[in-house]
Structures are given as structure tokens and as C-alpha cells.
Amino acid sequence: MSPAPRHPTWPDGETPLSAAITTGRWIRSAGIDDARGRHWLANPDPGRRSARSGRPGSLYAGVAGIVLFFLELAAATGHEAYLDEARQGARHLAATWQDEADLSLYHGLTGMVFALAETGWATGDESFVAAARAAADRVARSARRLPSGVSWTGDPAQRGDGGIILGLLHAAGILGVPEYEEIAVEAGARVAGLAVPGHKFGADGCPDLPLDAVTPGFLSGTSGTAFLLARLYAVTRDERFLRAALRGADFVRTISVVNGRHAFVPHHVPQGRGLHYLGLCSGSAGVARLFYELHRVTGDPGHLEWVERLATGIACSGLPRRRTEGFWNVACQCCGAAGLVELFVGLWAATGTRAHLDFAQSLADDLIGRATGHDGAGYRWYQAYRRLRPWEVTADTGYMIGAAGIGASLLHLHAAMADGEARRVILLPDNPFPAIPVPASALRRQP
């Protein structure tokens, strides 16, 4: 287990950047080289398995996500060794993407495309760009023509078609292939025509939930689908997408618990109205992305007000020291503190409100204090990834589930704290906040 928190100051002069560097040391120690490049053990602890099984190349818990972390660590430090680490991981992706059957963003090929394209952008290596295009071509060609429109999985949520569409929109821009946007918009039209709001998990989606549970959250529910529709409206200005996004947002508002300036979203309805996750996957941090995207594309201050309601609910819940049913012993990007750091850094960059940056720093205080690193091997975070299995405590290397994503959130905070310096950070396609985490007003003041 991790040591007791060291709060409220970073120990021994520790900063978000130095903590991210120490995190990189541990992840590098888990690296394995072969003829195809480099990959990293999901959980290098002897005799332990990763908290979440997943595809080895995935953005969620595999090579693609770790490549992104090392790209960002290289940008933050200027050290070539980290860029080489990312290159070696990208070599592995370029050599293995053809073996990937899953097409999704977080768990499959679309996430690999994202990591390859970002590596090509950062390194100027055209071989990675070519591999990204070839893999994206396969994703685009794999779309099925249904009576209701274009689809890959039949699931409109981020875990299915929604994530693939967002990944193709990103690929169209960074790879310069407008056909990816065309197929993404066509698939999005099918999503806009579905009965939003609500998605049933079903037994194959989440066996811990009732079959008739409707999930308003981000990665597997209404909020993430409505976010996608708002993004498609921004791309096309087609009112069909905006109307569908607003229907989803209205549903989320209707079922939310509002107390003064605070808002909380149920994990699922009708059975879980009193269970309020705070993280990205199924909680306030993810739902806030929907409302910020709606504000970004419409300018409606009412949507930004809902972002602030959700953020205020998080900040006033006693975090980071208090644990709740919806914020347990979990540190990762998916459902833990690192995802909240992303939210509050993004909100500061979007609004310039200092309280958001201060709260992000307090979350980072707690994260750094909870890291395990007493053996000199580097920082990692032992956590109970599955809320309903608190006895399963592991430390993982991956992005959404483990150290790479936690390190990335610390690097994003470091970029926000850098006085007078503007640096691009890598945000996933479902993150609507500024990719340069400095308020626009501050940038305008610079000579």
C-alpha cells in the first residue's frame, strides 16, 4: 500500500514536474524490448496482474497511452531519452497495429492511430505518420452500412462508435485526410438519429449493473454521446447535431441532484440515483466536459454555469482528503484524482479563475503524497481500481488506469503553472479544454 499522504506541501522540494520525472523512471523500468520495438508491462510487480485486462497496444492501459506520456515528458524537460522512449513505443505500435481487432478509441486501433499521429507530429518521423494513416484507413474501411446509417460497433457511446468518430475527426486534421471527417460525420448522423438520451449497459457491458440501468456518464453513457454530437455540430454547423446534443444534456440536467450551486450526476438510473461518481468515466468530471463543449460551440453561458455547478460540487465534497462512495481509493485518469486534475487545469485555462488552479494543485499535493517510491524505483500509485472490489489493490503503468496518465496530469498542471511560458500539451480527442493550458487573457498580456 502507498504511504500516508504528505500534505499540504510537496515533500523535499517535489514539484509536479519532478514527480512526473520520477514516475517516468518507474515506467521505464517496466519496458521490454524486442524486434518490434518497446512495450511496457501493465503491472511489473512480481506475481500481480493488472487491475484491468486490456489490449496491449491500447490507449487505456497499454503502449499507446504510455507513448503519449513520454512525448509530454520529453516536451517538458527537453531530454532526448524520453523522446526516444516514445519512439520505441511507437515503433511497436507501427509493427503491431495490423494485429488489433478492436477498433475503439480507448481499447483498440483508433487509440493507436492517435498515438502514432502524435508521435509523428512530435518527431517529424514520416514512418509514424504513414503507419497512422494506414491504420486509420483500416478503421474507416471497417465501417458497416446499416439501414440506419454507418456504424462500427452499434454502440453510440465513447466506448464504441463515439470514440471512433472522435478519433477520426482528430486524424482528419493531424494527418490531412478529409475523408476521415466525411465518414465520421456520416456515422455521427446515425447517432444523432438515435433515441437520445440514455444507453443500457446490458450484461456484456457491465455485469455489476442491472440490465435496465441507464447511464448518464461520459465514457459509457449519455454525456459522452451528447459531447460527440456537440463536437460534430462544431465541425459541420449542422443543427441536427446540436439539437441531439441538447436533448442529451437536458436529460442529464433533469436527473441530476442540484443543491444551491452544487450539482451531482447519478452513476445510473433508476437504481443508483444516490451514487454520485466524481471522476471522468461516470461522474462529474466527465459530464462537465459535455457542458463545456456545448458552451464552447454555442457561447451559451448557461452551459458554462453547469460546468461550474459540477466543479463546485467536486470541490465542496471534501476532496482530496475525504473519500466518498463515488471517490474511493483511486488515483487514475479514468475515475480518480488525476482525471480531476485534468478538469480543474482545463477550467483554469478556459476561464482564468485562480480557484480552479489552486484546487488542481491541492489534488496534485495529495497525489504526490500518496505515491509509492520509497524503494528508489520511481513513483507509482497503488489503488483499488474497481470500487466494488476494494481488496484488489494494484499499481499499473497505463494511461487511463495508472502511472502514465497520472504523470501526464502532473505535466499538464506544470504547464499551467509555468510563468510566462506557453506549451502545447496532448489532450485526448474527448477533452474540450485548451491544449495550451494558459488563459487567453494571460497570453494576450505577453509582449
Side-chain angles (χ1 to χ4, degrees):
M1 295 291 289
S2 59
R6 294 166 292 197
H7 191 84
T9 58
W10 290 310
D12 302 322
E14 195 78 276
T15 68
L17 177 59
S18 62
I21 291 170
T22 308
T23 301
R25 184 194 313 157
W26 182 68
I27 297 173
R28 292 180 81 183
S29 73
I32 297 177
D33 292 326
D34 58 30
R36 300 177 299 179
R38 182 170 301 159
H39 65 282
W40 297 268
L41 294 173
N43 186 326
D45 281 353
R48 293 204 189 207
R49 298 180 60 188
S50 170
R52 183 182 180 93
S53 60
R55 305 300 298 172
S58 74
L59 194 60
Y60 198 93
V63 174
I66 294 174
V67 165
L68 297 182
F69 167 66
F70 280 115
L71 288 176
E72 295 216 72
L73 194 56
T77 63
H79 291 174
E80 184 68 24
Y82 299 131
L83 195 59
D84 185 63
E85 195 86 12
R87 284 194 193 97
Q88 295 304 317
R91 278 188 56 221
H92 188 276
L93 294 176
T96 59
W97 68 262
Q98 296 184 64
D99 302 328
E100 182 54 67
D102 188 319
L103 299 177
S104 68
L105 174 65
Y106 277 104
H107 296 286
L109 188 56
T110 303
M112 296 167 75
V113 170
F114 182 85
L116 283 165
E118 288 289 341
T119 307
W121 178 279
T123 64
D125 190 326
E126 284 297 319
S127 69
F128 298 136
V129 175
R133 284 201 186 102
D137 285 347
R138 180 180 147 206
V139 172
R141 289 195 309 268
S142 298
R144 296 177 293 151
R145 300 280 173 178
L146 305 177
S148 57
V150 172
S151 177
W152 290 269
T153 68
D155 185 348
Q158 297 271 17
R159 65 182 180 180
D161 285 3
I164 294 172
I165 293 168
L166 287 170
L168 286 176
L169 290 175
H170 175 271
I174 196 169
L175 299 175
V177 183
E179 289 79 10
Y180 301 155
E181 181 179 307
E182 293 170 9
I183 192 71
V185 171
E186 190 175 357
R190 174 184 172 274
V191 176
L194 294 175
V196 176
H199 312 289
K200 293 182 179 179
F201 262 92
D204 60 338
C206 184
D208 296 324
L209 290 184
L211 290 178
D212 62 343
V214 176
T215 56
F218 195 70
L219 293 189
S220 300
T222 307
S223 294
T225 304
F227 172 95
L228 164 69
L229 294 164
R231 176 64 55 83
L232 285 167
Y233 171 69
V235 170
T236 66
R237 291 296 157 176
D238 186 330
E239 292 288 335
R240 291 179 301 166
F241 294 125
L242 180 59
R243 289 193 297 268
L246 291 173
R247 291 199 302 272
D250 287 345
F251 171 73
V252 173
R253 276 192 289 255
T254 298
I255 65 169
S256 294
V257 175
V258 180
N259 181 9
R261 299 295 301 168
H262 306 170
F264 298 92
V265 181
H267 180 268
H268 61 282
V269 292
Q271 304 91 344
R273 289 188 178 276
L275 175 59
H276 304 138
Y277 275 32
L278 300 182
L280 169 66
C281 59
S282 302
S284 297
V287 176
R289 291 188 177 188
L290 159 63
F291 286 103
Y292 183 74
E293 181 71 0
L294 281 170
H295 170 70
R296 190 181 71 84
V297 303
T298 67
D300 186 340
H303 299 310
L304 184 59
E305 180 184 347
W306 259 85
V307 178
E308 295 288 359
R309 283 180 182 273
L310 292 161
T312 301
I314 293 170
C316 293
S317 63
L319 271 61
R321 304 199 65 156
R322 180 171 177 256
R323 296 291 178 257
T324 70
E325 191 177 8
F327 187 80
W328 59 101
N329 176 27
V330 62
C332 64
Q333 285 261 4
C334 182
C335 42
L340 300 184
V341 172
E342 295 283 3
L343 170 64
F344 283 92
V345 168
L347 275 177
W348 176 75
T351 67
T353 301
R354 180 71 200 191
H356 293 321
L357 187 60
D358 290 342
F359 191 65
Q361 289 177 278
S362 72
L363 291 165
D365 260 353
D366 189 69
L367 271 174
I368 294 171
R370 290 178 179 276
T372 291
H374 59 277
D375 55 1
Y379 282 169
R380 63 274 200 195
W381 283 263
Y382 286 89
Q383 61 177 359
Y385 170 75
R386 294 181 174 89
R387 181 180 64 89
L388 297 178
R389 303 179 192 175
W391 58 88
E392 292 183 0
V393 177
T394 62
D396 292 87
T397 56
Y399 195 94
M400 294 301 293
I401 190 175
I406 296 170
S409 74
L410 294 174
L411 290 173
H412 297 168
L413 176 59
H414 169 259
M417 295 167 56
D419 186 24
E421 177 186 340
R423 185 178 80 242
R424 175 182 180 264
V425 298
I426 299 174
L427 302 182
L428 302 188
D430 58 11
N431 190 324
F433 294 111
I436 298 177
V438 178
S441 57
L443 290 175
R444 284 194 294 268
R445 288 196 301 269
Q446 293 182 4

